Amino acid sequence: MSIEPATLETERLVLRPQVVSDAAVFHQLWTERDVRVPPHRQLSSDGRPTVADIAAQIQDASETSKPGLLTVQRKDDAAVLGYCGLVFTGNGAPEEPELAFELLRAVHNRGYATEAGRIVIEWAGRSGYPRLWATVWDWNLASRRVLQKLGFRDTGETHGESVHGRSLLTVLDGERPQ
């Protein structure tokens, strides 16, 4: 199975393929991450990844056939809010994608992550992926609520632990909440 890159729209959002100019916002996401996030997902002591590093990653990803993460943009003012999409990390079953999302703190608690996640789930279903996975840190209650609203359930398995908590594995099978 494969998923064609797409532009998806909801009432308030446009989710589109990433472009190099998104790198500054994605770098801001790195600066806003909770200190409990593992070191490989935080800025290093020398400030890496830089905006240029992220821009290069976006450019490299645009040359692959995998759909990856989509940029989440508000419709009314075209502001880039973060990303949401599918990644094939193998955290669940092989060849089944994982839902991933991250939005700027300034736009949290407005329902954007749930709205973006819902349209990505629909897109995945239309593309032949009836089951999706997601990992979430046990302390990340906001993201856990988003996943719950989207119909994900805790599998009871962990996908990593650190001094800061456990990464919980969740799954979405079949029926999608409306």
Side-chain angles (χ1 to χ4, degrees):
M1 281 184 272
S2 68
I3 296 178
E4 294 298 318
T7 297
L8 309 172
E9 291 192 29
T10 70
E11 184 178 325
R12 301 181 298 164
L13 304 172
V14 174
L15 284 73
R16 58 166 174 75
Q18 294 180 358
V19 295
V20 170
S21 61
D22 297 332
V25 171
F26 296 157
H27 184 266
Q28 185 177 345
L29 290 169
W30 280 81
T31 68
E32 293 181 355
R33 289 198 175 133
D34 191 288
V35 297
R36 295 172 287 186
V37 172
H40 73 278
R41 296 287 294 151
Q42 294 183 32
L43 289 178
S44 68
S45 59
D46 64 349
R48 293 193 99 85
T50 64
V51 173
D53 294 334
I54 295 169
Q57 291 170 350
I58 292 170
Q59 183 62 42
D60 290 347
S62 72
E63 296 169 7
T64 70
S65 61
K66 290 188 178 180
L69 301 172
L70 300 171
T71 295
V72 177
Q73 194 171 16
R74 217 172 11 227
K75 269 187 181 178
D76 63 358
D77 63 4
V80 173
L81 309 179
Y83 63 80
C84 183
L86 300 173
V87 293
F88 290 81
T89 59
N91 285 334
E95 300 302 316
E96 291 180 344
E98 181 174 349
L99 177 70
F101 56 89
E102 185 175 15
L103 301 179
L104 295 169
R105 284 185 183 176
V107 299
H108 285 190
N109 299 312
R110 298 182 187 176
Y112 292 135
T114 304
E115 189 172 331
R118 189 166 283 125
I119 195 73
V120 168
I121 289 167
E122 291 172 13
W123 174 47
R126 288 192 308 270
S127 299
Y129 292 96
R131 181 181 317 155
L132 298 177
W133 301 88
T135 54
V136 61
W137 287 100
D138 57 359
W139 48 260
N140 190 340
L141 299 180
S143 290
R144 289 175 68 183
R145 280 192 300 272
V146 168
L147 291 170
Q148 184 178 31
K149 288 177 192 175
L150 293 172
F152 283 80
R153 64 174 173 75
D154 190 336
T155 64
E157 297 178 39
T158 59
H159 188 75
E161 290 190 38
S162 78
V163 296
H164 299 296
R166 298 176 306 127
S167 179
L168 308 174
L169 182 63
T170 66
V171 66
L172 175 67
D173 286 305
E175 291 296 314
R176 309 292 204 242
Q178 297 299 317

